[in-house]
Amino acid sequence: MDAYDESGRPPHGPDEPSAPDPAPAPDAEARIGLVALSLRYQIAVAVALAVVAVAVCVHIGMVFLHVAPSNTLTKQHGKAIDDWIYPEFEQNWKLFAPNPLQQNIAVQVRAQVRSADGGVRTTGWYDLSAQDGRAIDGNLLPSHTQQNELRRAWDFFVSTHDTDNRSTGLRGSLSETYLRRIVSLRLERENAAGKGGAVDLVQIRSRTTNVPAPEWSDEQVSDKPMYRVLPWWSAAPDTAHTAGSEDTAGTTAGGTK
């Protein structure tokens, strides 16, 4: 008996596994997912996904405007925003509480100086906030003092005094002392007294201007600065804060240095 078949290969033994049949060639037409759809259905699915994406973006934008502080967009399209939100999507929380500041507040100081020969003069206004701004601008690592010391001291004073600059609580005196020490150190740094002179009195004021509305807004915002002028204080931190009876009504006359 011939041990070889017609192909010249020996037959498999009883214990030898037979070679598996070759896998069928993949179907070139087989597709999965969206590719399996016809062009017409692919277009329909793409349009549906685009509509959903737009609706989600619009909804997120409407919710953001609803919870955001009052601004130009909410003033102009407030009714449309409310119609979208109420009643199904009502929110009872707000972003940025309290509202972000929409004003520029500059703290300025001037001094009454006693010169070495006994004369008395009044300096111009030193814009301390502008000095801090210049120190921060372009500084990758601005100090906490440059960023916050003066601003927080003024906020502390305003929160503990009424519009007539009268203390409204026990912390009023502390806020005055803190602010007075800061401006006294700044004046010393600027050598405001000059050679042989000494600073006797200091006077602080704030200059507030509104942030202008964007060009595309028709909102009218006054660009006129508003001043809040404090009385003259002794430059020494451990003495009474009010000094003299000089009228502060005309204190805006000094030039800003």
Side-chain angles (χ1 to χ4, degrees):
M1 183 176 179
D2 192 356
Y4 294 86
D5 58 16
E6 295 179 357
S7 64
R9 292 177 299 180
H12 295 288
D15 297 331
E16 295 181 8
S18 59
D21 295 334
D27 184 0
E29 300 298 327
R31 298 288 188 272
I32 58 174
L34 294 178
V35 183
L37 301 176
S38 64
L39 179 60
R40 182 178 61 182
Y41 287 108
Q42 290 181 21
I43 294 175
V45 172
V47 170
L49 291 176
V51 170
V52 171
V54 170
V56 170
C57 292
V58 170
H59 178 71
I60 293 176
M62 289 293 191
V63 172
F64 175 82
L65 292 174
H66 175 67
V67 300
S70 178
N71 55 69
T72 304
L73 283 178
T74 57
K75 291 177 182 178
Q76 186 173 358
H77 304 289
K79 186 177 185 305
I81 295 172
D82 290 342
D83 291 343
W84 180 279
I85 293 296
Y86 294 107
E88 290 85 1
F89 306 116
E90 180 181 3
Q91 304 290 329
N92 59 358
W93 53 277
K94 293 289 183 182
L95 292 177
F96 310 117
N99 291 344
L101 191 63
Q102 298 183 7
Q103 295 175 321
N104 291 321
I105 301 177
V107 179
Q108 303 171 346
V109 64
R110 68 176 180 173
Q112 190 176 99
V113 176
R114 185 178 71 258
S115 59
D117 59 2
V120 176
R121 64 181 176 89
T122 301
T123 68
W125 290 100
Y126 290 82
D127 195 332
L128 305 183
S129 296
Q131 294 175 2
D132 286 347
R134 288 191 294 268
I136 294 172
D137 189 23
N139 189 348
L140 297 179
L141 298 172
S143 70
H144 176 77
T145 300
Q146 294 167 339
Q147 296 180 83
N148 298 317
E149 182 185 58
L150 181 64
R151 178 180 61 85
R152 294 295 298 273
W154 181 253
D155 289 344
F156 185 24
F157 176 86
V158 171
S159 66
T160 56
H161 290 73
D162 59 20
T163 56
D164 293 324
N165 301 320
R166 292 192 298 260
S167 176
T168 58
L170 297 178
R171 303 181 69 192
S173 178
L174 176 62
S175 68
E176 294 174 9
T177 302
Y178 183 45
L179 185 61
R180 185 168 66 255
R181 284 181 174 176
I182 290 175
V183 299
S184 296
L185 289 173
R186 297 291 187 92
L187 290 171
E188 182 179 348
R189 186 188 307 168
E190 293 292 324
N191 194 26
K195 185 176 181 179
V199 174
D200 288 336
L201 305 174
V202 295
Q203 186 175 41
I204 305 168
R205 75 177 182 182
S206 67
R207 182 180 187 270
T208 303
T209 53
N210 293 318
V211 175
E215 296 180 356
W216 47 264
S217 171
D218 58 358
E219 183 179 3
Q220 300 297 321
V221 178
S222 174
D223 59 354
K224 183 179 179 180
M226 296 174 292
Y227 292 91
R228 177 171 180 172
V229 185
L230 307 189
W232 286 94
W233 290 348
S234 170
D238 55 349
T239 58
H241 69 275
T242 302
S245 58
E246 177 173 339
D247 184 10
T248 61
T251 53
T252 60
T256 301
K257 182 171 179 179

